[in-house]
Amino acid sequence: MTESSYPSDVVSFVTGRRPLLGSFRSVVLVPALTPSAAGLMPESERLGRWLALWDRWFMDALHHAHGGVAAHRHLLYDRAVALKLPAMPVSMVAIETVGEACRALALGFELSVPVATDADLEQVTATAERMPMQRLTLRLPADGRAPSPDRWVTALEALCRRSVLEIAGPMARVRELGTSASATLAATTHVYLPPATSDAPPPVDGAGCGLRFAVHVAADGWLYPCRGLVGLPPARLGHVDDDIADTVLGGRPYALDLARLAAAGPGRGPTEATARAGGESGSSTTVVDPGRAAMPAVCLSHRSQVAARSGTVSGRAPAALDDSQ
Amino acid sequence: MCYQSAGPRGSDTLGDATLERDVLLRVVAQALDVPTLEPRLQLVGGEALLRLDDCLAVVETAARAGFQSISIATNAFWARRPKVADAHCARLADAGLTSLEVSFDAWHLPWVEGETVSNALEAASRRGLPVTLRVLTSRDHGVDDTLARLRPAALDAATRIHCTTVASTGRAGRELAPGEFLARGDLTAACHRELSLTVNPAGDVFPCCSGLDQTRALGFGNVRERSIVAIAAEMSASPLLRRIVFEGVGSLVPLLEHAGVTVADPHSSICSLCWSLFSRDDCVTALRALFPEEPFRPPAAAGD
């Protein structure tokens, strides 16, 4: 089965009082959980070139939106590229190349990275000194490993001066490390992200997908509108090696109604309805899939719908990272 | 308005002002016609959930109007008993609330206990409602002091724990010693990325809820008299507001000093500076002369 199982239409990113363009003003890089021959993500210089093309598309589209830049100037703010690494890489050079590409385009760069050892801490601190980051998330692994408390607090106190800091991990362990006792950290705005404590899918803030949309770039270079649809061919917006004009961003017909999804979400599909019948809304799961742990039920449901309609053999969600990994 | 100004007897600045339900619903139904507004709505207090039924009506209206993120900030007073906490979260979620924000810190302690807040965090989590715990800190009151009062399971039930320093505005500015405040950011910074179109309990509209909304000198409009869309358009075109928002409130200081007004008080943040400038009679008098086209209230009305 092919994408032609879906009716297709050209997506307008520029029409309306609140153009869809606003939902795609940021990029999320979705690395592979394990390195493949192609690597964790598209090669950094290739990615940098694509970011420049995407940024040019965005600025041109803004000029063509109803009312032009004057009416939508606010969409120029809060544009960022976010990357959540599954593991600390041997070298941060590729990450720093992407970060520099973001800086050249005046885009924010947000990095989330697991920190299990003092060496990991040193590596991320050195990167932060070389490359400004809008937001830095440090994730303590679920296996109980952590940097030494002294090094941890010293590093946090240095890092919080450069970025908005987020610390992910069980609060008991975060506190044992002395994090919340640091007066230096307390003098900044910072965020703790406790991990999910049950097998229930994480809650999702808002029925519409618009606040969760971004251009998601998978490790193999395919582009998607959201995390939940990564890996499904009918949901592809294009590829980093395509000219923007040959992608959905540039007017190629698309199988999904992005405007409706942005405003109202996918609605209830058979999977979600079944799940709801079996338990409290938002908290039950019926799909046994190792990738489901960090994906909201509504996203899993929609993924299953898209997979089923396209005849994709498996709606298996890409293994997702939760904040404890 | 939180600790900045609210309390059992109303707001320090505005008295016992409150917005009527029909006004709230009308504003919420119209607000997304403001073209630059993100589809996010937050109800804050005082304590918004003292008016649970009105909050439910606002949430339902907001969901129908197309707001995608609808949250309520609360001190969780309603969560003394877990079953009641569960019931509240269920009603709010069913009405369309997409997230909850629970405020707890040293200054909430006289009125709300840690066990109550823990109940609220756990109830929200059970209901599948994202819940953010918001903690304010000062030199004498760190993050750990607050977290230690909550059950460990409740801490892990929170989706996010957001920590920031208390701002020297409103009641905090009057009651806390200057040394308590931790410096937050750079006084030359601008706030254009931090704005929230705010309707205060008196119905007056402001570009933020961080201090300017608790002053009375500027009057861009009241939602009882004009649509929020018209008021927002006028604010967007205001040279004074654009200067504050894009150049930073610190850009007013040289103008004031040139006009003979001393702005020497230490300020911990741009919010504190802004609140101070628009609260002081001498500053407001000078600004009124410097920006005669702006909708400053007459001195008597501003001081009411």
Side-chain angles (χ1 to χ4, degrees):
Chain A
M1 295 289 283
T2 66
E3 294 179 27
S4 60
S5 301
Y6 273 93
S8 295
D9 207 350
V10 172
V11 175
S12 172
F13 289 90
V14 301
T15 54
R17 186 181 61 206
R18 200 162 272 106
L20 198 56
L21 186 64
S23 291
F24 292 95
R25 65 191 199 248
S26 288
V27 169
V28 174
L29 304 177
V30 185
L33 282 194
T34 51
S36 65
L40 273 180
M41 57 185 194
E43 186 267 321
S44 55
E45 295 208 6
R46 185 168 151 230
L47 196 50
R49 284 193 295 273
W50 177 81
L51 282 171
L53 290 177
W54 161 74
D55 183 61
R56 170 53 57 86
W57 163 81
F58 181 86
M59 298 305 290
D60 286 348
L62 199 62
H63 281 280
H64 287 101
H66 179 65
V69 177
H72 304 290
R73 198 183 304 273
H74 60 291
L75 296 182
L76 294 171
Y77 297 115
D78 293 327
R79 296 185 64 214
V81 175
L83 170 61
K84 188 173 184 179
L85 291 171
M88 182 65 75
V90 171
S91 162
M92 295 288 270
V93 169
I95 311 303
E96 291 175 20
T97 302
V98 175
E100 281 306 316
C102 291
R103 178 148 71 163
L105 295 169
L107 300 171
F109 183 63
E110 302 180 351
L111 179 66
S112 172
V113 61
V115 174
T117 64
D118 288 349
D120 289 343
L121 205 51
E122 234 174 84
Q123 192 164 349
V124 72
T125 304
T127 297
E129 282 172 10
R130 287 190 291 269
M131 187 181 78
M133 285 182 267
Q134 181 169 288
R135 183 181 307 272
L136 176 62
T137 304
L138 302 181
R139 310 194 311 269
L140 293 173
D143 59 12
R145 291 178 300 149
S148 60
D150 287 349
R151 293 259 187 112
W152 170 254
V153 172
T154 302
L156 290 187
E157 291 179 349
L159 290 167
C160 71
R161 295 192 175 97
R162 296 174 176 275
S163 311
V164 172
L165 210 51
E166 294 186 340
I167 298 125
M171 286 307 294
R173 183 136 50 91
V174 168
R175 294 178 66 201
E176 274 162 17
L177 289 170
T179 317
S180 49
S182 162
T184 304
L185 195 58
T188 66
T189 296
H190 60 285
V191 178
Y192 299 103
L193 299 170
T197 52
S198 73
D199 286 339
V204 60
D205 182 358
C209 304
L211 294 177
R212 292 186 293 280
F213 274 165
V215 183
H216 285 65
V217 183
D220 56 8
W222 287 104
L223 311 175
Y224 300 88
C226 65
R227 185 70 186 83
L229 296 177
V230 168
L232 292 185
R236 288 173 178 163
L237 297 169
H239 194 273
V240 293
D241 291 335
D242 292 338
D243 281 331
I244 292 281
D246 295 331
T247 70
V248 172
L249 303 182
R252 195 194 79 196
Y254 192 51
L256 304 178
D257 187 344
L258 286 178
R260 182 184 66 79
L261 289 171
R268 297 184 187 189
T271 303
E272 189 179 37
T274 306
R276 284 177 179 268
E280 292 178 282
S281 61
S283 63
S284 62
T285 58
T286 56
V287 178
V288 178
D289 184 326
R292 77 173 180 4
M295 203 166 290
V298 64
C299 301
L300 281 176
S301 169
H302 188 221
R303 183 182 178 81
S304 295
Q305 287 172 46
V306 172
R309 285 174 62 182
S310 70
T312 304
V313 172
S314 168
R316 185 184 178 91
L321 298 175
D322 66 29
D323 286 306
S324 65
Q325 292 178 319
Chain B
M1 299 180 72
C2 317
Y3 178 66
Q4 298 184 77
S5 192
R9 286 177 294 282
S11 154
D12 294 350
T13 308
L14 306 177
D16 198 11
T18 190
L19 278 171
E20 301 84 4
R21 181 174 178 153
D22 63 320
V23 174
L24 285 169
L25 298 184
R26 176 165 44 79
V27 169
V28 167
Q30 291 174 353
L32 285 179
D33 286 338
V34 177
T36 51
L37 203 67
E38 294 272 353
R40 300 177 194 266
L41 173 74
Q42 188 179 41
L43 292 178
V44 300
E47 172 51 47
L49 285 175
L50 285 168
R51 294 168 57 182
L52 175 61
D53 288 342
D54 288 345
C55 285
L56 291 170
V58 169
V59 169
E60 286 167 355
T61 302
R64 273 198 304 274
F67 279 96
Q68 293 183 13
S69 170
I70 306 167
S71 69
I72 294 180
T74 176
N75 63 17
F77 76 94
W78 41 271
R80 286 188 70 193
R81 287 181 287 152
K83 282 192 178 170
V84 174
D86 282 338
H88 265 62
C89 288
R91 288 185 75 185
L92 289 166
D94 287 345
L97 192 76
T98 66
S99 65
L100 197 61
E101 302 208 354
V102 177
S103 295
F104 186 59
D105 45 53
W107 300 283
H108 284 86
L109 274 175
W111 292 282
V112 185
E113 295 174 357
E115 287 296 303
T116 300
V117 174
S118 296
N119 292 343
L121 296 175
E122 290 173 355
S125 176
R126 280 192 292 270
R127 188 61 180 80
L129 200 54
V131 57
T132 297
L133 174 66
R134 287 199 167 266
V135 179
L136 291 184
T137 60
S138 70
R139 203 169 294 282
D140 281 349
H141 299 291
V143 175
D144 234 13
D145 300 341
T146 298
L147 299 185
R149 295 180 179 273
L150 301 173
R151 293 195 291 268
L155 288 179
D156 281 335
T159 312
R160 296 165 64 87
I161 301 173
H162 187 279
C163 307
T164 194
T165 60
V166 68
S168 173
T169 60
R171 187 182 306 155
R174 285 186 289 273
E175 292 185 2
L176 298 185
E180 266 299 287
F181 297 101
L182 298 161
R184 189 164 81 183
D186 169 6
L187 291 181
T188 64
C191 53
H192 56 275
R193 298 186 62 178
E194 313 290 335
L195 302 179
S196 298
L197 186 62
T198 298
V199 181
N200 77 7
D204 292 325
V205 183
F206 291 89
C208 75
C209 58
S210 302
L212 189 62
D213 60 311
Q214 297 167 59
T215 62
R216 295 185 58 81
L218 280 169
F220 281 96
N222 190 292
V223 293
R224 289 188 181 90
E225 295 153 12
R226 296 171 65 200
S227 84
I228 191 168
V229 180
I231 299 171
E234 194 174 309
M235 287 165 59
S236 282
S238 156
L240 174 59
L241 279 190
R242 292 184 76 83
R243 187 184 185 112
I244 292 170
V245 158
F246 292 111
E247 292 182 44
V249 67
S251 68
L252 296 179
V253 173
L255 300 180
L256 287 166
E257 290 181 341
H258 187 70
V261 176
T262 304
V263 182
D265 296 337
H267 294 283
S268 59
S269 66
I270 53 174
C271 303
S272 162
L273 176 61
C274 188
W275 173 75
S276 174
L277 296 187
F278 285 91
S279 299
R280 283 172 49 177
D281 289 342
D282 56 347
C283 291
V284 171
T285 300
L287 288 170
R288 194 180 277 121
L290 287 165
F291 297 91
E293 302 301 319
E294 299 288 347
F296 281 98
R297 287 200 169 99
D304 286 347

